[in-house]
Amino acid sequence: MGELILIRHGETEWSRSGQHTSWTDLPLTDLGERQARALVPLLAEREIGLTLVSPLLRARRTAELAGLKAPRDTPDLREWDYGAYEGITTVEIRRTRPDWNLWTDGVAPGPDEHPGESPKEVGDRADRILAEVRAAASRLGDADIALVAHSHFLRVLTARYLRLTPASGELFQLATGAVSRLGTEHGKPVVTALNVSLPERLFNAIG
């Protein structure tokens, strides 16, 4: 296969404020839409044979504005279920849990329809996506595969791709509207690019 291209969706109101956002289906901000359009030149020279996208609006809109063709909704690409921490910032959580760490502690239980996920559960979803990617790669040849999704999930997926624990996702910061790439070197999994985006000053030229 070619490379695995990871794309975090553009900015939303809650990503800007630092509120944990999993199932809340927010649209992109104006800046988020410009970030998504700015992905076009970053992807222009890639041969992308398959695009998998989270079913949430912010990811689907990013894929559309980035010019990705025939994206396939993939529920396992949804963001970490934050349970009771949906819409809450890390600063607010640490007022009552000063040592809280998402990557090792997980989240407090939420409502029945969104009970929250442990790091292992998110890691299991990432493993399923990677298995799907490997299966698709066998028929795509050297073409790349793009995943359009969310920060914490893609960080866990990066860790699992590198054969690390889900908690190791904390080592990989991903900005809104940024592109990262995973590949191989001498048969070993590696990060070939991390957190690449156009400078904001160039967005207006793209429209």
Side-chain angles (χ1 to χ4, degrees), residues 98-167:
D99 297 324
W100 177 76
N101 182 330
L102 172 68
W103 303 99
T104 53
D105 299 332
V107 299
D112 289 344
E113 62 273 24
H114 294 292
E117 287 181 293
S118 69
K120 181 184 183 304
E121 288 171 323
V122 181
D124 289 344
R125 281 201 285 119
D127 288 347
R128 291 198 295 270
I129 291 292
L130 291 172
E132 184 172 354
V133 164
R134 286 191 291 270
S138 64
R139 58 181 171 77
L140 292 174
D142 293 332
D144 298 327
I145 296 175
L147 306 180
V148 187
H150 311 272
S151 175
H152 284 138
F153 178 78
L154 289 176
R155 292 168 70 174
V156 171
L157 183 138
T158 298
R160 297 301 299 140
Y161 179 86
L162 297 172
R163 302 171 187 166
L164 303 173
T165 66

Side-chain angles (χ1 to χ4, degrees), residues 6-199:
L6 311 182
I7 301 169
R8 183 185 175 190
H9 63 76
E11 181 194 76
T12 68
E13 291 290 349
W14 281 13
S15 69
R16 180 165 58 194
S17 61
Q19 293 167 263
H20 287 88
T21 321
S22 50
W23 69 84
T24 304
D25 208 5
L26 298 177
L28 300 179
T29 62
D30 288 344
L31 173 59
E33 297 226 341
R34 293 199 303 274
Q35 289 174 331
R37 292 188 185 95
L39 293 167
V40 173
L42 296 178
L43 301 174
E45 296 183 359
R46 313 296 306 193
E47 180 190 355
I48 298 175
L50 174 67
T51 297
L52 305 180
V53 61
S54 161
L56 291 167
L57 173 62
R58 55 194 185 272
R60 290 188 289 107
R61 180 64 171 159
T62 296
E64 175 188 355
L65 293 175
L68 293 165
K69 306 302 182 185
R72 190 172 82 203
D73 278 9
T74 306
D76 269 341
L77 281 174
R78 69 189 185 277
E79 181 58 296
W80 193 318
D81 186 331
Y82 298 123
Y85 293 157
E86 181 77 359
I88 309 299
T89 67
T90 296
V91 170
E92 291 171 321
I93 295 167
R94 287 181 175 167
R95 288 173 184 160
T96 55
R97 297 182 66 182
D99 297 324
W100 177 76
N101 182 330
L102 172 68
W103 303 99
T104 53
D105 299 332
V107 299
D112 289 344
E113 62 273 24
H114 294 292
E117 287 181 293
S118 69
K120 181 184 183 304
E121 288 171 323
V122 181
D124 289 344
R125 281 201 285 119
D127 288 347
R128 291 198 295 270
I129 291 292
L130 291 172
E132 184 172 354
V133 164
R134 286 191 291 270
S138 64
R139 58 181 171 77
L140 292 174
D142 293 332
D144 298 327
I145 296 175
L147 306 180
V148 187
H150 311 272
S151 175
H152 284 138
F153 178 78
L154 289 176
R155 292 168 70 174
V156 171
L157 183 138
T158 298
R160 297 301 299 140
Y161 179 86
L162 297 172
R163 302 171 187 166
L164 303 173
T165 66
S168 298
E170 68 180 337
L171 302 174
F172 309 103
Q173 194 267 341
L174 299 180
T176 52
V179 174
S180 300
R181 302 198 312 271
L182 305 178
T184 59
E185 184 179 51
H186 306 305
K188 303 290 186 180
V190 296
V191 176
T192 56
L194 186 67
N195 222 25
V196 178
S197 60
L198 286 185

